[in-house]
Amino acid sequence: ARVPEAASTKGADLGSHARDMHGNMHHLPTLRSRRNRAIFKGMKFMTHLLIENSLKVLYDIGDDAPNIFFEIWYTSANSTVHTRAKDTARTLTEKLEEKLLERADVSRDAFFEVMLRIKHEIELECGPLLAQSDRLWARLGYKDTRALYGVKREDLGGVSVEDWLMLLLRILIMDYNNILFGNRWRTSYGMREAFVTLQSLELAPLPPGVPAEQCPAMHSGRSTTASTSPRASSSASPHTA
């Protein structure tokens, strides 16, 4: 709500008012109230979207859906928003877990889908998901990190540019969950080794007018820079079992 300029220059409580970039004075409690109403409206809309049609949208999106509410809970200073967001994150996560545990799929995607770190962070029981993760880990032979990520440590330099994003996401998931759960699923390399390799990956802008899929550089298996960091080659990996 905008405060008239005349009122803003006479006795305005500067602790409850602020000027915008155009010099207009605003009442901060009113702005906060409007913001919180907008947040509740958005949360209500998203919750309805995720649970309609027997939770189809929730299942399609996966753990990114409850993570939205987790982030709202984690960052909100308003106690009502904080509580509502956490309750919604808990409910959606439990519903998603039920679906994941019903699946009989034994695959890399199935393994990474049950790595729901959000359950630990919102203080929910993780036992069933941990047990499912352990079963898939054993059945898929993921003690061999090459099988887990699809590439051996010494072959990281041959990963194509377009494959790096998914590889980094999977390594991040494993590193973070190993921090949460006491290195439960040991890997022979992690983010540190990946980032060291990325230092030698040459990136270049696309030629004008050339689509990405037609650019040879985007599909190159190895960087054209042969040098590696001397510190990288002499450092031991903290992930080695």
Side-chain angles (χ1 to χ4, degrees):
R2 179 178 173 181
V3 178
E5 186 64 27
S8 70
T9 58
K10 290 187 177 182
D13 179 4
L14 297 181
S16 62
H17 292 75
R19 293 182 184 275
D20 62 24
M21 61 187 298
H22 300 293
N24 299 317
M25 189 75 79
H26 297 272
H27 186 233
L28 294 179
T30 301
L31 292 180
R32 292 191 188 100
S33 179
R34 290 175 56 190
R35 177 196 62 192
N36 290 335
R37 288 198 302 271
I39 291 173
F40 281 122
K41 182 178 180 180
M43 289 172 59
K44 182 178 180 180
F45 173 83
M46 287 190 292
T47 303
H48 178 73
L49 176 67
L50 292 168
I51 66 175
E52 65 180 0
N53 296 325
S54 301
L55 304 169
K56 181 181 184 303
V57 177
L58 171 64
Y59 297 149
D60 287 346
I61 294 176
D63 67 329
D64 282 340
N67 275 335
I68 295 172
F69 296 92
F70 168 78
E71 294 297 340
I72 295 173
W73 164 71
Y74 194 77
T75 58
S76 177
N78 180 276
S79 59
T80 307
V81 172
H82 186 87
T83 302
R84 179 81 61 83
K86 186 175 184 179
D87 288 345
T88 305
R90 283 173 172 265
T91 300
L92 295 177
T93 300
E94 296 282 19
K95 293 295 185 182
L96 183 59
E97 178 187 23
E98 292 174 8
K99 185 69 172 180
L100 292 175
L101 293 178
E102 289 174 359
R103 292 180 53 179
D105 186 23
V106 179
S107 66
R108 181 184 286 118
D109 286 343
F111 172 76
F112 280 100
E113 284 177 358
V114 299
M115 304 293 280
L116 291 179
R117 64 167 178 83
I118 185 176
K119 289 210 69 180
H120 181 277
E121 295 182 337
I122 57 178
E123 302 166 339
L124 292 174
E125 170 58 39
C126 299
L129 281 178
L130 290 176
Q132 180 77 336
S133 299
D134 290 343
R135 284 192 292 270
L136 291 171
W137 174 269
R139 290 189 62 182
L140 292 166
Y142 284 168
K143 186 176 181 180
D144 176 4
T145 304
R146 182 205 59 78
L148 174 64
Y149 297 138
V151 59
K152 294 187 292 186
R153 177 180 175 181
E154 55 267 31
D155 293 335
L156 285 174
V159 176
S160 62
V161 174
E162 61 268 27
D163 289 337
W164 263 108
L165 177 59
M166 182 56 69
L167 177 59
L168 285 173
L169 286 173
R170 287 172 172 163
I171 294 174
L172 176 61
I173 290 171
M174 294 308 303
D175 277 13
Y176 191 75
N177 277 281
N178 274 326
I179 291 171
L180 293 180
F181 300 108
N183 211 17
R184 190 183 185 102
W185 307 279
R186 292 178 178 270
T187 59
S188 61
Y189 64 86
M191 292 297 286
R192 178 177 176 276
E193 290 77 13
F195 284 146
V196 167
T197 302
L198 282 172
Q199 290 177 347
S200 63
L201 184 68
E202 183 175 306
L203 302 177
L206 295 174
V210 178
E213 60 272 15
Q214 296 181 15
C215 181
M218 292 295 292
H219 298 277
S220 173
R222 184 175 296 274
S223 166
T224 56
T225 54
S227 62
T228 58
S229 167
R231 286 180 295 176
S233 60
S234 62
S235 300
S237 168
H239 293 267
T240 302

